[in-house]
């Protein structure tokens, strides 16, 4: 299952995992775009189902987890991969940030991944296999003005990545994260506009990533080729951290 796979990085990840042979649960709020992604996967010979979910609390997370597990179990399969990708990229000065905005950002970016893992990881552990990939951000590791709240929530996800790797690793469940830099998605173009290219220009490679660039790294962490990798946070940012 890939959360937030109606757009951007999540959509590219769903398409990539399906191409690699996974049966994918596509999820998001927008049913129209969700169905388009499912159709695109099926047209390419893959298998996918859409589950609508507005992810903002523990209950919505648990409900989506139950639906995804039911779909995975239909043909005797199981939910072996969870990509915690759905996220909101709120920006702005700390002063004046409404409490409702703080709560909404933390709910979708931190609380929901926590409760998805709480619902799904125990089943993976009981089966002795599973891979969880969390989507962080460059702003979790580098202070970027205006991204304090967003960066703090994602930094917490990176700590959860390590904690969950320790908690579930002995049962055969791997937990890793990707830390994307500027990536050309509908959400980033709407939120950052010109800033996307300006941010990208500060890294050695200098260009804005395509969602497929991040999806390829997520697919690596979700698949067996990374079977000895857990608790890792992989930078996918054009080399920004080495400057
Ligand atoms: P995007 O194009 O805006 O896509 C965001 C996805 O998240 C959509 O599928 C959206 O679904 C879903 N989503 C948002 N709020 C939701 C909610 N309350 N319930 C359910 N689904 C929800 O953004 P993106 O750039 O691909 O971002 C994906 C992830 O990458 C995010 O976690 C973001 O923080 C991270 N990231 C992005 C960049 C970048 O430069 N693009 C860089 C670093 C990290 P609906 O539209 O259907 O509601």
């Amino acid at each position: 299952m890939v959360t937030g796979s109606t757009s951007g990085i999540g959509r590219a990840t769903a398409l990539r995992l399906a191409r690699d042979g996974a049966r994918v649960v596509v999820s998001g709020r927008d049913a129209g775009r969700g169905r388009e992604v499912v159709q695109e996967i099926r047209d390419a010979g893959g298998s996918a189902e859409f589950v609508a979910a507005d992810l903002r609390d523990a209950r919505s997370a648990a409900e989506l987890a139950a639906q995804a597990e039911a779909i995975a179990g239909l043909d005797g399969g199981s939910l072996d991969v969870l990509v915690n990708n759905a996220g909101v990229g709120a920006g702005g000065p700390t002063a004046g940030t409404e409490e409702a905005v703080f709560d909404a950002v933390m709910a979708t970016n931190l609380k929901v991944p926590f409760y998805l893992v709480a619902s799904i990881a125990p089943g993976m552990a009981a089966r002795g296999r599973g891979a969880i990939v969390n989507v962080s951000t460059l702003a979790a590791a580098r202070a970027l003005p205006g991204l304090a709240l967003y960066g703090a929530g994602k930094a917490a996800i990176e700590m959860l990545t390590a904690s969950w790797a320790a908690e579930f690793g002995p049962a055969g469940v791997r937990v890793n994260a990707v830390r994307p830099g500027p990536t050309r998605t509908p959400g980033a173009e709407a939120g950052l506009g010109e800033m996307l290219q300006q941010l990208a220009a500060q890294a050695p490679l200098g260009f804005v990533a395509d969602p497929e660039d991040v999806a390829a790294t997520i697919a690596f962490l979700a698949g067996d080729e990374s079977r000895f990798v857990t608790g890792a946070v992989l930078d996918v940012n054009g080399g920004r951290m080495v400057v």
Side-chain angles (χ1 to χ4, degrees), residues 125-195:
R127 291 186 292 275
R129 65 171 192 282
I132 295 167
V133 184
N134 298 316
V135 179
S136 181
T137 170
L138 173 66
R142 269 197 102 101
L144 298 176
L147 294 179
L149 172 59
Y150 175 64
K154 293 286 194 175
I157 273 290
E158 293 191 7
M159 188 62 218
L160 286 174
T161 300
S163 300
W164 287 330
E167 185 175 348
F168 298 110
V173 181
R174 297 181 301 106
V175 188
N176 292 289
V178 290
R179 190 190 281 148
T183 307
R184 197 166 302 287
T185 65
E189 287 195 308
L192 291 172
E194 295 284 294
M195 279 260 297

Side-chain angles (χ1 to χ4, degrees), residues 47-60:
S47 174
E49 301 290 338
F50 175 70
V51 179
D54 186 358
L55 295 170
R56 46 183 71 244
D57 52 19
R59 200 171 93 174
S60 54

Side-chain angles (χ1 to χ4, degrees), residues 3-10 27-30 33 53-56 84-89 108-109 135-138 150 154 180-188 192 196:
T3 66
S5 41
T6 53
S7 175
I9 292 169
S27 184
R29 290 168 299 190
D30 189 317
R33 280 193 279 120
D54 186 358
L55 295 170
R56 46 183 71 244
N84 273 317
N85 165 79
V88 285
T108 300
N109 291 6
V135 179
S136 181
T137 170
L138 173 66
Y150 175 64
K154 293 286 194 175
T183 307
R184 197 166 302 287
T185 65
L192 291 172
L196 257 184

Side-chain angles (χ1 to χ4, degrees), residues 54-77:
D54 186 358
L55 295 170
R56 46 183 71 244
D57 52 19
R59 200 171 93 174
S60 54
E63 282 174 5
L64 174 61
Q67 284 176 280
E69 274 170 342
I71 288 171
L74 277 180
D75 60 358

